[in-house]
Amino acid sequence: MVDWEGPLSEAYDRALTYLESLPERRVGPRATSKELHEALGGPLPIGPTDPREVVEHLAKGVDDGLLPSGSGRFFGFVFGGATPASLAADWLTTVWDQNAGLYAASPAAAVVEDVTARWLVELFGLPSTTSVGFVTGAQMANLTALAAARHEVLRRAGWDVEQDGLIGAPPIRVLAGAERHDTIDRALRFLGLGTNSIVPIAVDEQGRMRADALAEALDADPGRTTGAGGTAIDRPTIVCAQAGNVNTGAFDPIAEICEIAHAHQAWVHVDGAFGLWAAVSPGLRQLVDGIDRADSWATDAHKWLNVPYDSGIVLCAHPEPHRATMSIRAAYLIQDENGERDSLDYNPEFSRRARGIPVYAAIRALGRDGIAEIVDRCHAMANRFADRLKTNDVQILNDVVLNQVLVRFGDDATTRRVITDVQNEGTCWMSGTTWQGKAAMRISVSNWTTDEADIDRSAEAVLQCLRG
């Protein structure tokens, strides 16, 4: 008989203790790298160890090195926590241990992800035929979407990139805001387009792409090239817009960008790692006006949906290039004859975890109204944080339009000192950044448990560190 109860009950007890400690737990690691190595290291084990003892040893060893990003006072990056339903579903996903690559390998996982995909499309207000892939995070979502874009803009130019590669292909240009997220650049490197393909477009003081600058760039260089048969065509072009700047939370004017870009036969991709969730809120929906006119989108469930890591989502208004880029066929694979959904047609992975299951649980537990409430509350808490910090010695650098607050304390040296002191003090945790050449504290409010008490307690701790 296999002893499942011993290690699983130990894990449950440890997990519950950790989760219940989050409201008062110090927000920051409590151990050095050396201490963690001493607790967890040692020689390679030769013989077996009781599984329950392994779980106990592991839990004790890592505890002081954990960064409690699930705390309501963690504001360091745009990390969500984990809602009870999504966490429990994630545990079951591990227990069921399904390979979600093919329908044949797990009909249940395939159907859950198919249902979840339709719910996501409806939540975001996207075209009903939009295809969806469940990936690790926004990095892979951006890569997948841009791969589909690469396929389509080259197809229009008479080039099959999947068969013929990029050598000799018409060059692709990518127009993106100067304040784009670095995952766009990284995805272009992975896809063989290189960062020199990027034409940076000027942004305003909040980091929003200027639609007039995009139009000027496209009009100044319409990019005519020769396609198949010697016909003149528009140069293959991709425009990358942003829904939620990683520092300010600002949104590009997506409706205008789509109109301008599509007039030049360009594919519009929207990086909405956290900002796309504003579409669920009736009060914030205007921030993503025109989002449904784009060609592809990337977002994360492990941000504002508060699903456990890792959980990214790619969506594509054009299923054909999405599948053409990602799908695979092999003699030993069993593709369903009835057209059931094989997830490997929509993401870069082959074998993979059924990560759509926790997303399904989160949406079913919260509903549209519950998701909107999380987004609206985090927006309100970000504004409360900014209001509590406003003094003669503190400058709020951005318009708090969503969940991001950029703070500066006089000069670079003071700002960096306060960030370090806050991280060491432990009441809350936030990171630093550089905005328009100046050091700043970056506050991200995206946890479903964050409330007024968390904000007030954290703001006071920041001001104490400034005074101290």
Side-chain angles (χ1 to χ4, degrees):
M1 295 293 292
V2 176
D3 177 19
W4 294 110
E5 183 179 358
L8 288 176
S9 61
E10 182 71 28
Y12 173 79
D13 290 343
R14 297 280 177 179
L16 199 59
T17 298
Y18 176 78
L19 291 169
E20 291 177 342
S21 76
L22 283 176
E24 294 304 323
R25 188 183 177 102
R26 182 186 188 278
V27 187
R30 298 174 292 193
T32 65
S33 174
K34 180 181 178 181
E35 290 168 337
L36 290 170
H37 275 286
E38 290 174 350
L40 296 163
L44 172 69
I46 303 301
T49 303
D50 179 79
R52 183 165 193 158
E53 291 181 20
V54 172
V55 174
E56 180 184 18
H57 173 80
L58 174 64
K60 286 182 177 178
V62 304
D63 191 61
D64 284 345
L66 296 174
L67 183 61
S69 55
S71 168
R73 288 174 281 109
F74 181 86
F75 309 107
F77 306 99
V78 191
F79 289 177
T83 59
S86 66
L87 177 58
D90 195 62
W91 283 7
L92 285 175
T93 301
T94 300
V95 170
W96 293 331
D97 196 24
Q98 301 291 282
N99 185 335
L102 292 169
Y103 175 85
S106 180
V111 170
V112 166
E113 292 193 352
D114 196 23
V115 171
T116 307
R118 295 306 102 211
W119 286 351
L120 288 165
V121 168
E122 184 177 349
L123 278 170
F124 296 138
L126 303 180
S128 61
T129 55
T130 296
S131 54
V132 180
F134 295 90
V135 294
T136 52
Q139 174 68 81
M140 292 310 295
N142 281 327
L143 183 145
T144 304
L146 291 173
R150 181 187 66 175
H151 167 92
E152 181 60 16
V153 298
L154 286 177
R155 184 198 65 78
R156 295 172 191 169
W159 189 271
D160 187 333
V161 67
E162 274 68 49
Q163 287 193 12
D164 301 326
L166 287 172
I167 297 175
I172 297 175
R173 59 178 174 176
V174 180
L175 287 79
E179 287 292 342
R180 65 192 175 276
H181 196 276
D182 290 334
T183 52
I184 296 296
D185 297 51
R186 195 170 185 231
L188 295 174
R189 286 164 39 206
F190 291 164
L191 291 170
L193 300 181
T195 54
N196 282 342
S197 66
I198 299 174
V199 179
I201 304 301
V203 298
D204 66 13
E205 70 283 353
Q206 294 294 311
R208 292 178 287 251
M209 185 195 295
R210 285 173 38 202
D212 63 325
L214 174 64
E216 183 178 338
L218 287 169
D219 290 340
D221 179 13
R224 302 295 286 177
T225 189
T226 302
T231 57
I233 59 170
D234 287 320
R235 181 188 303 170
T237 301
I238 301 168
V239 174
C240 293
Q242 188 169 223
N245 179 278
V246 73
N247 283 306
T248 67
F251 287 70
D252 289 348
I254 296 171
E256 293 178 75
I257 288 170
C258 288
E259 181 177 359
I260 294 165
H262 287 158
H264 288 267
Q265 311 299 314
W267 176 292
V268 178
H269 170 63
V270 178
D271 176 12
F274 60 94
L276 195 61
W277 293 95
V280 186
S281 163
L284 296 170
R285 172 80 192 181
Q286 76 279 359
L287 292 171
V288 294
D289 181 46
I291 199 82
D292 57 316
R293 297 170 59 188
D295 298 289
S296 59
W297 308 264
T299 192
D300 279 322
H302 55 226
K303 289 186 169 67
W304 251 346
L305 192 58
N306 281 250
V307 167
Y309 275 87
D310 49 32
S311 187
I313 301 161
V314 58
L315 307 103
C316 189
H318 313 286
E320 294 81 6
H322 192 173
R323 286 194 299 267
T325 301
M326 294 291 131
S327 65
I328 185 171
R329 294 295 182 266
Y332 75 96
L333 296 178
I334 304 173
Q335 259 85 29
D336 188 79
E337 295 179 355
N338 298 316
E340 297 291 352
R341 186 180 190 276
D342 290 321
S343 74
L344 54 71
D345 287 339
Y346 302 99
N347 64 73
E349 298 162 314
F350 205 114
S351 298
R352 71 168 183 86
R353 175 183 178 81
R355 63 174 61 88
I357 292 175
V359 181
Y360 172 93
I363 296 174
R364 180 166 284 282
L366 291 166
R368 180 193 294 272
D369 291 347
I371 299 169
E373 192 277 332
I374 291 175
V375 173
D376 288 339
R377 179 155 43 85
C378 288
H379 174 228
M381 293 303 99
N383 277 287
R384 185 184 184 96
F385 215 139
D387 290 340
R388 293 294 185 273
L389 290 179
K390 284 179 184 175
T391 69
N392 292 334
D393 299 318
V394 181
Q395 181 184 7
I396 306 300
L397 300 177
N398 68 314
D399 299 330
V400 184
V401 298
L402 198 61
N403 67 320
Q404 300 293 101
V405 186
L406 273 184
V407 187
R408 182 169 168 83
F409 305 97
D411 55 38
D412 285 358
T414 303
T415 300
R416 293 190 180 106
R417 176 189 64 79
V418 173
I419 293 168
T420 299
D421 288 351
V422 168
Q423 292 175 350
N424 291 335
E425 192 270 342
T427 296
C428 54
W429 202 98
M430 50 274 287
S431 60
T433 189
T434 299
W435 176 248
Q436 298 179 343
K438 297 179 180 179
M441 173 184 281
R442 178 173 170 270
I443 299 172
S444 304
V445 187
S446 48
N447 188 288
W448 70 284
T449 67
T450 300
D451 59 17
E452 290 87 348
D454 289 320
I455 297 300
D456 294 348
R457 181 177 171 187
S458 299
E460 180 56 32
V462 172
L463 293 175
Q464 286 282 4
C465 288
L466 173 61
R467 292 190 288 264

